[in-house]
Amino acid sequence: MVENSNAPLIEFKHVSKTFKGTATTKEVHAVHDVSISVDRGEIFGVIGYSGAGKSTLIRMINGLETPTEGSVKVDNQDITQLKKEPLAQLRHKIGMIFQNYNLLKTATIYQNITIPLKLEKIPKDEIQQRAEKYLKIVGLWDRRNSYPSQLSGGQSQRVAVARALAHEPTILLSDEATSALDPETTSSILDLLKDINQKLGLTIFIITHELDVVKSICDKVAIMEAGNVVEQGRTIDVFTGPKQEVTRQFLGSNDLAGVPASLLAETQKHNHVLLIKFIGNEASIPVIAQLTKQFGVEPNIMAGSIEYLKEQPYGKLVISIENNDQYDAEIQYLRDKGVIVEEVG
Amino acid sequence: MSNFIAEWGNTIVNGLSDTLTMTIITLIITIIIGVPLGILLVETNANGMYPNATLHATLETIVNILRSLPFIILLFLILPITRLLVGTTIGIRGVILPLVVYCAPFLARLIESSILDVDPGIIEAYQSMGISNYKIISRVLLREARSGIIRGLTLATIGLIGATAMAGLVGAGGLGDIAYQYGFQRYQPDIMYTSIVILIVLVQIIQTIGNVVSRRLTK
Ligand SMILES: Nc1ncnc2c1ncn2[C@@H]1O[C@H](COP(=O)(O)OP(=O)(O)OP(=O)(O)O)[C@@H](O)[C@H]1O
Ligand SMILES: [Mg+2]
């Protein structure tokens, strides 16, 4: 691929995809007017419920699906305009991993890496070198003579990652690659992807319905609902300031860090309950102390949590402030200090 | 015992060799026709790699018609075609065409179902790597379907041996013919039983080999 570091590596422009109805099925607007751009070296996540159109979206990046409207460009080439041969060339540079791994059952782990390379007519010694290199990266060189049926789900997915990497791609697509795995295995695969992103500079495009995937590795995120991208941006921005109700639901933005509803109702009789969000863990407590100094109120901390968005701490605090006539000024004061404040209704 | 061998040994050996000759020649032609036909049935279907409704419907119809005819009917039904193509309707040469016409659609169905058993995700994965459909079929699908294909071939071979038993009707010989002629028409049960036992052993051997190979290839 041509290096052109300014332009986005993947660019969807007003892309729609409609599946024609048949005698027995209705027409489906799987993707509707989606515009997304993914920069080089980024990990971009798309999150949404089942049937939102995520798989259809990702499959348009490597031409497994063609848009009915709009354009999809990869490295400045319009994927829909490519003829067979250039499309094949481009696909060699776009690796893809799947929920079901899709390994050959009849082939060993080693052969699962080498067979696709052979079919692409890569020289033999080069194939051997790559198989060794990438099986070592995913930590399965020792298991090279095993068959997929002898591996766990996590190991199988590592083989699939190695198979994708062995083409030395610039982009890695992942369609629900961790959805069939337990949380621990999921995080080990995510760590592997993060590592690959950092060490090999791969751009990664991830489809998922799991929030943890987005939280732990995505630089940017798009939220998809019923074919539309309803919100997108830097993960940290979307988490701290979700604009759409769907986004809030999806990200658990309205979640009060475990305060029970009964306690909330009781507290709200004489208090304002506030949800405070902040990035970085130093900011919050001193701000509340300063609030006390300034206004003489004594906020009560009801609950709190700190999560990490790709290593960035992101905190939530639920506090209650006894009803008083300076309430508006107090909220303004907190906002001026740079924390995000929402009154819990 | 040695008397029996001296008297009938030659007949039986000839019969066995006729049966094997018919089976092997027909099997080879059946594979050459049946395997591509099975692949076509899968890939011309709506969700195949080369959807083609007309071709698919045509192939389906032909296969279904041929599959519904008993061999004995087929044998006589296509006599004119056999004469035209092979120049004779008798002997081993005369029976090969009907045997192929009988067996190839059967094998095609078995190939079709073993290919359909391959996870479609695999095809998608290989397409996403930029590998051509032709290579996916020949190097990936057939490979992944291979143990099912071997099981299908075993089944087709055994069916074929059964059909060759009727080849005697057009003078093609074989063990089935011997059992019929000597056992039934001339009432010589020992030669009939001997032929039958040899047929049973033959089928057992083929099934066992098929099972072992298929299991080996499942990995
Ligand atoms: N080939 C197809 N033909 C017809 N409709 C399709 C096709 N592929 C997908 N769809 C429909 O498009 C919509 C979006 O499907 P898609 O697979 O993209 O959703 P998804 O977000 O990936 O869901 P999941 O999380 O369940 O994988 C669904 O309503 C689906 O039924
Ligand atoms: Mg999906």
Side-chain angles (χ1 to χ4, degrees), chain A residues 19-20 25-26 28-31 48-57 59 65 99 175-176 207 209 224:
Chain A
F19 290 106
K20 287 230 161 44
T25 58
K26 270 185 155 177
V28 181
H29 299 278
V31 171
Y49 295 113
S50 184
K54 309 180 297 292
S55 294
T56 309
L57 187 76
R59 289 159 55 86
E65 214 71 83
Q99 181 169 354
D175 188 352
E176 304 277 10
I207 292 293
H209 61 262
M224 247 188 127

Side-chain angles (χ1 to χ4, degrees), chain B residues 41 44-45 52-64 109:
Chain B
L41 282 172
T44 58
N45 201 354
N52 182 332
T54 325
L55 181 57
H56 188 255
T58 314
L59 294 176
E60 276 285 320
T61 314
I62 295 174
V63 167
N64 286 343
R109 281 287 183 226

Side-chain angles (χ1 to χ4, degrees), chain B residues 21-41:
Chain B
T21 310
M22 280 186 280
T23 306
I24 290 167
I25 296 176
T26 310
L27 193 62
I28 291 168
I29 306 175
T30 296
I31 291 173
I32 293 171
I33 297 172
V35 174
L37 186 57
I39 295 172
L40 275 179
L41 282 172

Side-chain angles (χ1 to χ4, degrees), chain B residues 16 23 38 76 86 97 100 158 180 188 192 200 202 205 212 214:
Chain B
L16 180 61
T23 306
F76 292 113
V86 195
L97 182 70
V100 169
I158 291 171
Y180 175 75
Q188 282 172 312
M192 178 177 79
I200 292 173
L202 195 60
I205 291 173
V212 170
S214 158

Side-chain angles (χ1 to χ4, degrees), chain A residues 12 31 36 43-61 96-99 172-179 190 193 204-211 213-214 217-218 220-224 229:
Chain A
F12 286 85
V31 171
I36 282 177
I43 303 186
F44 194 104
V46 175
I47 187 164
Y49 295 113
S50 184
K54 309 180 297 292
S55 294
T56 309
L57 187 76
I58 200 171
R59 289 159 55 86
M60 287 193 277
I61 297 175
M96 189 165 187
I97 54 176
F98 307 83
Q99 181 169 354
L172 181 68
L173 307 177
S174 158
D175 188 352
E176 304 277 10
T178 58
S179 299
L190 294 178
L193 295 183
I204 304 183
F205 191 92
I206 289 188
I207 292 293
T208 184
H209 61 262
E210 298 167 306
L211 196 55
V213 172
V214 174
I217 66 170
C218 294
K220 285 195 189 149
V221 62
I223 292 93
M224 247 188 127
V229 166

